[in-house]
Amino acid sequence: MKFKIIILLLFLSFLQFGCIEVVFDEEEMEEVWSADTLTIDRWEGHAVALGLSEDGKQAKLLLVSLQEWEPSDESYADYVEKEITDWHIPTKDEANIMRKQLGGEKVTPFLQLLQELDGDPLSLDLRYYCDQKAYTFSFKDGTVISKAGASTKNYRIRLVKNVNVPMGIQ
């Protein structure tokens, strides 16, 4: 059963945010994170795939890197974005969140956000690695997460980072 949950929250003065409607499959998302979904697409200059709050005091954000890499470029391992370190290739669950929250019809607003934040555009005709480069996913409608194969040579890497931030209604 699909639910649309829109919760408008005002974050502490240091948080920047925009609005993006979040739609998710409740059963699937409960396996990943169980919480209220926030209406947020950016935080302190970072792109946000999903924001959740379990208690109204802390927000758990899934950040998406502004940069993307070709697999041969190993510099992604030391990526730092606005002083945030320890980024990683998405798990299958995180890739699924990215596909559902930023792909399909929602890809245009996400492309605009990346442009506003001076990020690399998505490679919509290519697939992205996830799950330690064992699987791949796409932001296109009608695609699934599948095993990485030898037949496809043009993969990309887009990293993610989970952060917890304080929040509050002003």
Side-chain angles (χ1 to χ4, degrees), residues 31-95:
E31 295 173 12
V32 181
W33 291 335
S34 177
D36 291 329
T37 306
L38 308 178
T39 308
I40 183 170
D41 68 356
R42 69 186 80 202
W43 170 74
E44 297 207 349
H46 301 281
V48 176
L50 186 64
L52 300 172
S53 175
E54 293 182 2
D55 61 7
K57 296 177 183 176
Q58 288 280 321
K60 182 175 183 176
L61 305 178
L62 177 62
L63 306 180
V64 180
S65 66
L66 297 177
Q67 188 175 342
E68 77 173 36
W69 296 262
E70 292 188 17
S72 61
D73 182 354
E74 296 286 328
S75 68
Y76 71 85
D78 298 319
Y79 184 60
V80 176
E81 184 178 296
K82 300 182 190 308
E83 299 181 16
I84 294 182
T85 59
D86 300 322
W87 293 76
H88 63 273
I89 291 174
T91 64
K92 285 201 297 190
D93 287 336
E94 291 166 334

Side-chain angles (χ1 to χ4, degrees), residues 3 21 24 27 47 66 77 122-124 133 152-153 161:
F3 288 94
E21 186 176 34
F24 65 94
E27 292 174 14
L66 297 177
L122 293 178
S123 300
L124 296 177
K133 294 186 182 179
T152 303
K153 302 288 186 202
K161 171 74 177 181

